[in-house]
Amino acid sequence: GEDKTEISKKHAKEEQECKNNNNDEEEQEEAVPIYVKARQLFNEHEVLTDVDLKWTECQPEELTKFLVDEMGFSAERVEANIVKLQKAFKATSKPQMRMDSFFKPL
């Protein structure tokens, strides 16, 4: 079988041929293989810079409804992970200890 470098070279060659063979922009758009479009989507994605994220306590009922009822996840696994989320939120919501609190005078 072909190894990764051979496959990569083959795809790069096909990509270059597509660019060389098509001068018309519409024809070029149709001739571009799907993996090239996927690579472009990955490398040239839209970036939002004005986003303000805040970690708040999870909403167990809404989360369960979405994941279990709408998306088909296992109720037991969702419940177990909601408990983990709640523990993580409680652990990070209290202020971080100061460095000097770790050391005691002799």
Side-chain angles (χ1 to χ4, degrees), residues 2 6-22 28 31-36 39:
E2 296 178 287
E6 290 173 354
I7 294 171
S8 180
K9 287 178 185 177
K10 178 181 166 186
H11 287 306
K13 183 179 176 186
E14 289 174 1
E15 190 174 337
Q16 189 61 41
E17 287 175 1
C18 283
K19 289 179 182 176
N20 293 340
N21 292 337
N22 297 317
Q28 188 174 6
V32 176
I34 191 72
Y35 66 88
V36 175
R39 184 182 305 136

Side-chain angles (χ1 to χ4, degrees), residues 16-79:
Q16 189 61 41
E17 287 175 1
C18 283
K19 289 179 182 176
N20 293 340
N21 292 337
N22 297 317
N23 293 330
D24 186 33
E25 201 170 297
E26 280 185 25
E27 287 180 21
Q28 188 174 6
E29 184 66 32
E30 289 180 19
V32 176
I34 191 72
Y35 66 88
V36 175
K37 292 178 183 178
R39 184 182 305 136
Q40 287 173 340
L41 182 64
F42 184 79
N43 290 329
E44 300 166 15
H45 59 277
E46 184 178 335
V47 177
L48 301 176
T49 56
D50 60 341
V51 178
D52 185 29
L53 298 177
K54 292 185 176 143
W55 192 14
T56 60
E57 195 166 359
C58 75
Q59 301 165 339
E61 297 82 23
E62 290 86 351
L63 197 52
T64 302
K65 181 180 176 190
F66 175 72
L67 291 174
V68 176
D69 300 340
E70 295 179 27
M71 303 307 288
F73 284 84
S74 162
E76 295 81 25
R77 294 184 72 187
V78 169
E79 181 63 35

Side-chain angles (χ1 to χ4, degrees), residues 97-106:
M97 293 176 60
R98 292 178 45 94
M99 190 69 159
D100 58 6
S101 67
F102 288 97
F103 305 103
K104 307 274 188 244
L106 294 175

